[in-house]
Amino acid sequence: MKIGLIGLPLTGKTTLFNLLTKSKAAMGSFSAGTGANIGTAQVPDKRIDFLSEMYNPKKTTYAQIEFVDIAGFLAGGEGHKSGAGKFLNDVRGCDALVHVLRAFENDDVVHVTADLNPAKDLDAVDMELLFADLELIEKRIERIKAGKKITKENAAEMNLLEKCYGVLENGSSMLEADLTEEERFSLKNFAFLTEKPRLAAVNMDEQQFREKSYPYKEKLTALCREKNIALLELCAQMELEISELDDEDRMAFMEDLGLVETGIELLARNVYAHLGLLSFFTVGEDEVKAWTIAKGLNAKEAAGKIHSDIERGFIRAEVVKYQDIAELGSMAKVKEKGLFRLEGKEYTVQDGDIVHFRFNV
Ligand SMILES: Nc1nc2c(ncn2[C@@H]2O[C@H](COP(=O)(O)OP(=O)(O)OP(=O)(O)O)[C@@H](O)[C@H]2O)c(=O)[nH]1
Ligand SMILES: [Mg+2]
């Protein structure tokens, strides 16, 4: 899972990236046109903490999310063309996007648009993604039309592309387009930018965070609802500063600010909830490990995420619910109560399942 941090210049993307991935990428200067920073964040999970304590394994592995800190992009600004290509390419490589919006007041940091309006900024970058998709469709249609002969397949593709064009022209995203599963699959190679699931994160200063208020909050909230994207509120710089303190001081500061979870906890929770992901676990003396998969995968498909051999030679899955083991305290007690289940390949894996795959190759 590769998540891109996108937004206008100087909205706090690199600050957030450093917070999430514990990196030390340079902040505070225009990065437009430069390469992206890439880093991984461990997804905190109390269930893994618990299981690790219980099994005392040689290795404990949390789920990971890869974050790509993409250079800020100024629509229609100077160097638009050259900047746009790099920006759009970096965006295209991501599975999902977090749009970082500036609400914070900071006289030392240039504000790139006329006024501080995160709702307007959200629309501005969205437009850019939308135009990129429109251009992609136009080019493909042109190429088909320029061909010697328009085959039946070409005609069908063109039909579908024209339908998508209409959707985008109306300001909707490819994600919202009413397409069948087959149609979507046939368009996969286009890697449309507006088809990427995304979240919005508004970056506030300390005062705004304490007051739970920032300019155009209502407008932004309504816009996100309309676009059907989750809106997270955070305070990247302050949290980055706090994260460098020792545990005791950090807890005290967090409490004082009313910060109930860390940036990565907030991001990860929302990424899993809104991008349709879940975690299952494998446990043993060697390793306790969290695996991230899409909701709806069956046991055999989930096995394939661990190793293709396990999928190929799948016999059955032995499944225990995390909740049961947490409540009863041991695998032996879970078995005693008959809460240990044998599942076939069609079983849909659930969040919090502890799974042991039986296979034969
Ligand atoms: N007051 C305040 N300043 C912030 C906050 N977040 C970021 N900044 C400052 O804003 C400046 C820009 O932050 P960056 O994280 O580099 O912004 P960016 O979005 O990565 O910028 P580009 O890569 O150029 O697009 C830095 O000087 C930060 O210290 C915040 O929450 N509050
Ligand atoms: Mg940056």
Side-chain angles (χ1 to χ4, degrees):
M1 166 73 25
K2 206 160 144 184
I3 297 187
L5 305 176
I6 63 164
L8 293 180
L10 305 177
T11 57
K13 296 176 293 301
T14 305
T15 309
L16 179 61
F17 172 81
N18 284 343
L19 172 70
L20 297 171
T21 63
K22 303 187 164 70
S23 306
K24 301 253 180 264
M27 298 173 280
S29 58
F30 276 103
S31 64
T34 66
N37 298 307
I38 298 176
T40 20
Q42 280 203 353
V43 178
D45 191 333
K46 295 201 168 66
R47 299 170 297 182
I48 286 285
D49 298 337
F50 181 91
L51 292 170
S52 182
E53 198 147 299
M54 184 164 185
Y55 284 89
N56 197 21
K58 294 193 193 91
K59 193 173 165 200
T60 299
T61 311
Y62 291 81
Q64 293 195 336
I65 298 178
E66 192 176 1
F67 285 99
V68 188
D69 169 31
I70 298 171
F73 182 70
L74 189 51
E78 228 174 299
H80 183 140
K81 275 287 167 230
S82 58
K86 180 89 195 75
F87 170 84
L88 297 172
N89 249 343
D90 286 333
V91 176
R92 206 171 295 285
C94 297
D95 303 309
L97 306 171
V98 174
H99 192 150
V100 183
L101 299 156
R102 172 171 176 175
F104 66 83
E105 309 262 6
N106 185 340
D107 291 339
D108 298 333
V109 179
V110 183
H111 191 259
V112 293
T113 48
D115 61 343
L116 208 64
N117 183 343
K120 214 166 94 196
D121 296 350
L122 176 63
D123 262 338
V125 175
D126 270 2
M127 270 314 192
E128 218 48 52
L129 303 180
L130 202 119
F131 283 141
D133 283 352
L134 280 172
E135 205 180 302
L136 210 60
I137 294 178
E138 274 167 14
K139 277 195 181 143
R140 176 65 190 149
I141 290 180
E142 265 169 39
R143 195 163 314 146
I144 294 175
K145 283 186 177 162
K148 282 203 189 81
K149 187 167 149 253
I150 296 180
T151 62
K152 219 169 113 195
E153 287 80 33
N154 284 159
E157 186 188 351
M158 216 151 71
N159 236 331
L160 178 57
L161 287 173
E162 269 158 10
K163 176 169 155 187
C164 297
Y165 198 91
V167 170
L168 293 167
E169 249 184 346
N170 275 326
S172 299
S173 67
M174 281 297 297
L175 207 56
E176 292 161 295
D178 183 20
L179 302 176
T180 66
E181 226 168 280
E182 279 126 42
E183 286 175 329
R184 255 182 217 287
F185 187 78
S186 75
L187 296 171
K188 227 180 151 122
N189 284 338
F190 285 93
F192 287 118
L193 303 182
T194 65
E195 202 176 17
K196 297 189 187 294
R198 69 214 161 104
L199 310 170
V202 61
N203 189 16
M204 298 183 269
D205 58 45
E206 185 173 335
Q207 194 188 341
Q208 292 167 342
F209 192 81
R210 283 183 189 278
E211 291 169 359
K212 299 260 166 284
S213 153
Y214 53 86
Y216 297 99
K217 178 171 174 168
E218 270 99 73
K219 194 140 184 239
L220 181 62
T221 309
L223 185 63
C224 286
R225 197 171 304 133
E226 188 190 310
K227 287 176 184 271
N228 197 20
I229 54 181
L231 176 62
L232 323 184
E233 298 182 340
L234 45 86
C235 188
Q237 176 161 294
M238 187 183 61
E239 213 190 313
L240 185 63
E241 282 161 18
I242 294 176
S243 72
E244 279 150 16
L245 303 172
D246 60 44
D247 280 359
E248 201 177 316
D249 285 348
R250 191 163 41 87
M251 296 298 225
F253 268 102
M254 281 181 68
E255 201 177 305
D256 173 56
L257 285 162
L259 203 63
V260 290
E261 57 187 346
T262 61
I264 183 63
E265 283 170 332
L266 174 73
L267 250 305
R269 187 166 58 75
N270 279 282
V271 162
Y272 277 72
H274 295 286
L275 308 186
L277 302 172
L278 62 81
S279 297
F280 75 88
F281 311 115
T282 51
V283 297
E285 282 166 16
D286 283 335
E287 190 176 17
V288 165
K289 180 165 179 165
W291 301 85
T292 304
I293 56 167
K295 272 184 201 155
L297 289 197
N298 66 33
K300 191 160 181 265
E301 291 162 334
K305 296 289 169 188
I306 299 179
H307 200 288
S308 54
D309 281 352
I310 309 182
E311 180 171 10
R312 201 154 43 85
F314 182 94
I315 299 170
R316 61 175 179 270
E318 301 170 356
V319 183
V320 168
K321 296 246 160 276
Y322 168 79
Q323 210 49 44
D324 291 338
I325 211 168
E327 271 162 30
L328 296 169
S330 77
M331 191 61 92
K333 286 216 181 94
V334 169
K335 287 187 178 168
E336 213 178 276
K337 288 243 176 193
L339 295 169
F340 174 93
R341 291 166 300 131
L342 292 179
E343 302 284 1
K345 62 179 184 221
E346 295 303 336
Y347 169 72
T348 307
V349 175
Q350 306 291 316
D351 187 49
D353 278 353
I354 299 168
V355 187
H356 182 74
F357 293 104
R358 294 270 171 215
F359 68 106
N360 185 10
V361 281

